[in-house]
Amino acid sequence: MAKYLIGEVVKMTGVKAHVLRSWESVIPGFSPKKDYRGKRLYSQRDIELIMRLKHLTQTQGMSIQEARKQIVLDAQVREAEVAALTTLQDIRSELTMLYQMLKKTGENYAKSEKRRKDRNEMV
């Protein structure tokens, strides 16, 4: 997993270092790790969040507080989507299990009908 120093992030995103540091105290979940020397190490997720914040503040004209609310709302939507996907996966698993049970029941029924038919033909 790639880690970037603050100078690299400034070059990549065009967001100044003092702005990045101020966003750490305002945006929930935005807290780059620090190395043993105390230097910030930004992950790819951090870069994506920075670009989203930059878009909201510069392109959309939002204040940092409005952007913060939007980021929180986006996270809540993603959590709801994950919960829905998890529920769908559970339903799919249950349906697969039911299908397999019905298939096996159908195969057993077909075998018993064949045996019954064979016995009737013997008589």
Side-chain angles (χ1 to χ4, degrees), residues 102-117:
L102 287 171
K103 184 177 174 184
K104 187 171 184 168
T105 301
E107 290 169 358
N108 289 342
Y109 178 77
K111 287 178 188 177
S112 67
E113 282 297 304
K114 183 175 180 344
R115 282 193 301 264
R116 185 184 64 76
K117 195 176 193 180

Side-chain angles (χ1 to χ4, degrees), residues 8-112:
E8 296 170 307
V9 175
V10 168
K11 288 177 187 172
M12 290 169 55
T13 64
V15 178
K16 295 181 180 179
H18 73 276
V19 173
L20 293 173
R21 288 190 292 272
S22 72
W23 284 354
E24 289 178 31
S25 62
V26 178
I27 306 302
F30 180 56
S31 173
K33 306 285 185 241
K34 293 187 179 179
D35 68 6
Y36 68 94
R37 298 169 295 185
K39 295 190 178 224
R40 289 169 173 78
L41 295 174
Y42 294 84
S43 67
Q44 188 59 43
R45 182 191 163 283
D46 293 330
I47 304 295
E48 291 166 6
L49 182 57
I50 291 165
M51 294 306 292
R52 177 78 170 130
L53 284 165
K54 180 180 176 181
H55 173 76
L56 292 173
T57 56
Q58 292 182 6
T59 306
Q60 299 293 319
M62 292 183 178
S63 70
I64 191 63
Q65 291 303 325
E66 292 170 325
R68 178 188 188 279
K69 288 178 185 174
Q70 185 62 50
I71 295 292
V72 170
L73 182 62
D74 291 348
Q76 291 170 342
V77 168
R78 269 186 246 111
E79 286 177 19
E81 289 171 349
V82 167
L85 284 174
T86 301
T87 301
L88 287 173
Q89 288 171 339
D90 292 345
I91 291 169
R92 182 180 180 148
S93 294
E94 288 183 38
L95 287 172
T96 300
M97 183 182 68
L98 287 171
Y99 170 75
Q100 290 170 346
M101 288 172 53
L102 287 171
K103 184 177 174 184
K104 187 171 184 168
T105 301
E107 290 169 358
N108 289 342
Y109 178 77
K111 287 178 188 177
S112 67

